[in-house]
Amino acid sequence: MLKKILGLVVVGGLGYVGYDYYRAGFHTAPEHQPGDFLLSYSNGLRAVVRGIDNEKASRTYLGYPASNVPSWYQETWSICCTSTQEEANAFTTQVEIGPGGRLEAICEIDADGDVFVRGWITSVPDL
């Protein structure tokens, strides 16, 4: 009886891991370069973070999707790179990140040469 229960727990756990992986869209992630890392949020923002150190062990990454993204790009992976000081100032005037928070990247989608902002990635200390 204990073996059956343990087997059900293992199968259920593996099923949940597979479901979570599929729901986050990692199966559709584009090829990425060494040093890149992936972030996927329930709000639809999917990000390939490039050129930024992965500090998941000490910081929590938050995703802010742009509100004017067409519905057909909602599940598209965007490339996120360090923002310029001008972009950071524009973002922080509209969003209060809070103490210890910082804007990490701006995420963009290149639709046949037409590049638009998909969202922003911020981080806060993992206390």
Side-chain angles (χ1 to χ4, degrees):
M1 181 68 167
L2 183 61
K3 287 183 180 181
K4 287 182 180 181
I5 292 173
L6 184 61
L8 285 174
V9 169
V10 169
V11 169
L14 290 174
Y16 179 75
V17 168
Y19 165 76
D20 193 45
Y21 182 84
Y22 181 80
R23 184 178 52 89
F26 290 119
H27 65 288
T28 63
E31 293 288 325
H32 48 281
Q33 304 167 356
D36 292 353
F37 61 99
L38 304 175
L39 297 172
S40 179
Y41 298 95
S42 59
N43 60 22
L45 181 60
R46 295 178 178 175
V48 177
V49 183
R50 183 167 290 159
I52 298 170
D53 292 333
N54 185 351
E55 298 182 47
K56 287 183 184 178
S58 61
R59 299 188 69 80
T60 299
Y61 290 98
L62 308 171
Y64 293 90
S67 60
N68 59 346
V69 177
S71 61
W72 50 91
Y73 291 122
Q74 291 294 325
E75 295 183 358
T76 302
W77 286 88
S78 56
I79 304 298
C80 304
C81 298
T82 306
S83 60
T84 64
Q85 189 60 43
E86 182 179 291
E87 292 168 331
N89 291 341
F91 179 77
T92 55
T93 59
Q94 295 184 11
V95 176
E96 177 59 41
I97 300 172
R102 64 183 185 215
L103 177 63
E104 296 287 348
I106 186 167
C107 303
E108 298 176 333
I109 293 176
D110 183 350
D112 289 336
D114 188 15
V115 179
F116 63 93
V117 174
R118 172 64 180 99
W120 301 266
I121 304 291
T122 64
S123 71
V124 294
D126 198 10
L127 302 176

